[in-house]
């Protein structure tokens, strides 16, 4: 249905439309929507994923930036009066406004690849309103999100995502499932925010700073990256070997470093 529409895909909006019905069914099955749940989709496009979800939940909120797509979406999904379309930039959208006292939101989307990392940081800052997230992303971004300490792609995105969420890489999707086809493989990720954080930090902004500083030069040692912040005595007190590279530290280590520095700074 969507192929008959005269809309030309826009690169600047990261538009690669899903047309593989097998993949769409598989994604919806992984999401497992239930009637009455509060599903929110980022970048519904022409509704490829939206339809499979709203036909179960019966209601849905979607956030779409390309105003030319909205009439197409509304025609394609005219059978669903409880579809609420927010013409807005997801990067600035207040997702917490969609949660109710009883129900957290479930966020889904085949995300525009050009803004996927900052968008994930934006969502993580609202994690307390979110039950879970299912995203299609460039495979490399999914690998970064799910990387474990010691993996070559383990870095700032892995630590911050895993501070808030359990992260699972679900399956890979090849370029041929999209129109136009992207140059690289994509993958589906599930991110489930912890109801109780396993390692809570005293100040999240400080944690973001400390993780950024720690990974500033990932081939250098912790001693180097934390020069002027932590000295040898501090590393001893923390029981962390300063000759390690940052990719060896897990989320708990970064939380301990942050809380230690906060205490030290008074
Ligand atoms: N969900 C559709 C699909 O799977 O076929 C479209 C996915 S396409 C990769 C990304 C979608 O995000 C497009 O509809 C695009 O217009 C929209 N988009 C891009 N930037 C956005 C933003 N900042 N906020 C909301 N939507 C955005």
């Amino acid at each position: 249905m969507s192929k008959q529409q005269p809309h030309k895909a826009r690169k600047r909006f990261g538009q690669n439309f899903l047309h593989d019905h097998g993949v769409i069914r598989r994604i919806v099955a992984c999401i497992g929507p239930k009637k009455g749940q509060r599903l929110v989709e980022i970048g519904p496009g022409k509704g490829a994923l939206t339809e499979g979800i709203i036909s179960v939940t019966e209601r849905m909120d979607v956030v779409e930036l390309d105003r030319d797509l909205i009439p197409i979406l509304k025609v394609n999904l005219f059978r669903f009066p409880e579809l609420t379309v927010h013409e807005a930039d997801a990067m600035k959208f207040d997702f917490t406004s969609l949660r109710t006292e009883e129900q957290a939101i479930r966020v889904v989307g085949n995300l525009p690849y050009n803004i996927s990392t900052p968008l994930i940081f934006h969502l993580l800052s609202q994690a307390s309103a979110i039950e879970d997230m299912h995203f299609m992303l460039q495979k490399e971004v999914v690998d970064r999100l799910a990387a474990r300490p010691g993996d070559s792609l383990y870095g700032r995105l892995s630590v911050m995502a895993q501070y808030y969420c359990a992260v699972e890489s679900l399956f890979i999707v090849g370029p041929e499932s999209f129109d136009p086809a992207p140059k690289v493989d994509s993958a589906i990720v599930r991110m489930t925010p912890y109801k109780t954080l396993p390692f809570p930090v005293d100040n999240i902004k400080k944690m973001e700073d400390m993780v950024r500083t720690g990974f500033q030069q990932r081939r250098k040692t912790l001693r180097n990256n934390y020069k002027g912040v932590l000295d040898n005595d501090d590393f001893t007190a923390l029981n962390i070997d300063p000759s390690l590279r940052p990719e060896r530290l897990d989320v708990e280590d970064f939380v301990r470093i942050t809380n230690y520095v906060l205490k030290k700074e008074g």
Side-chain angles (χ1 to χ4, degrees):
M1 174 166 60
S2 55
K3 278 200 149 172
Q4 293 154 10
Q5 308 292 347
H7 179 274
K8 196 168 178 304
R10 294 192 169 111
K11 224 178 176 167
R12 73 191 155 97
F13 289 141
Q15 290 175 348
N16 299 93
F17 298 104
L18 261 173
H19 64 76
D20 181 329
H21 290 280
V23 168
I24 294 169
R25 270 196 298 276
R26 203 166 162 203
I27 298 172
V28 175
C30 285
I31 297 168
K34 305 251 172 355
K35 191 171 168 189
Q37 287 181 335
R38 300 187 70 84
L39 269 287
V40 181
E41 184 180 3
I42 298 173
K46 301 173 197 171
L49 283 174
T50 327
E51 185 165 8
I53 296 169
I54 198 171
S55 36
V56 179
T57 58
E58 292 179 6
R59 47 160 304 169
M60 198 166 165
D61 287 82
V62 298
V63 182
E64 175 57 63
L65 182 60
D66 183 352
R67 67 168 65 156
D68 293 343
L69 278 175
I70 291 175
I72 299 172
L73 179 70
K74 286 186 171 162
V75 167
N76 286 350
L77 299 181
F78 76 96
R79 291 178 290 123
F80 303 101
E82 292 195 63
L83 172 73
T84 305
V85 181
H86 304 267
E87 186 190 322
D89 182 349
M91 289 286 290
K92 298 186 185 133
F93 193 79
D94 177 10
F95 289 90
T96 63
S97 68
L98 298 178
R99 78 151 300 158
T100 61
E101 224 163 88
E102 304 79 42
Q103 262 184 320
I105 54 171
R106 305 189 65 199
V107 186
V108 303
N110 169 13
L111 295 188
Y113 291 170
N114 47 345
I115 56 161
S116 58
T117 303
L119 188 51
I120 287 171
F121 276 105
H122 179 61
L123 288 158
L124 290 175
S125 73
Q126 304 179 46
S128 60
I130 299 173
E131 187 178 322
D132 59 17
M133 302 180 254
H134 290 81
F135 296 130
M136 169 93 77
L137 297 163
Q138 279 183 8
K139 180 179 172 295
E140 192 195 311
V141 178
V142 171
D143 290 345
R144 282 183 195 284
L145 286 165
R148 306 302 302 169
D151 292 351
S152 61
L153 291 176
Y154 183 74
R156 190 168 82 97
L157 186 61
S158 334
V159 175
M160 293 316 301
Q162 293 170 36
Y163 172 78
Y164 289 103
C165 305
V167 180
E168 296 161 77
S169 167
L170 298 182
F171 62 93
I172 296 171
V173 180
E176 66 287 350
S177 297
F178 302 86
D179 180 25
K183 291 200 173 65
V184 292
D185 275 343
S186 303
I188 304 290
V189 67
R190 174 184 293 139
M191 299 169 68
T192 311
Y194 295 113
K195 295 219 160 53
T196 307
L197 290 170
F199 309 110
V201 76
D202 295 338
N203 180 321
I204 189 64
K205 286 273 163 260
K206 189 71 180 176
M207 165 107 169
E208 284 166 8
D209 283 354
M210 295 308 293
V211 174
R212 190 178 296 111
T213 307
F215 281 104
Q216 214 146 41
Q217 291 177 285
R218 50 179 305 129
R219 307 198 67 77
K220 296 244 163 118
T221 63
L222 293 169
R223 183 185 285 111
N224 255 287
N225 283 333
Y226 285 122
K227 198 172 259 164
V229 182
L230 296 172
D231 59 24
N232 275 341
D233 291 343
D234 295 326
F235 281 112
T236 306
L238 282 160
N239 199 20
I240 291 175
D241 177 355
S243 67
L244 292 176
R245 286 186 178 164
E247 75 228 29
R248 293 283 153 197
L249 299 189
D250 61 17
V251 172
E252 186 185 4
D253 292 325
F254 281 109
V255 168
R256 285 196 303 116
I257 289 177
T258 308
N259 287 344
Y260 179 91
V261 171
L262 283 166
K263 222 183 212 163
K264 193 174 145 183
E265 292 174 350

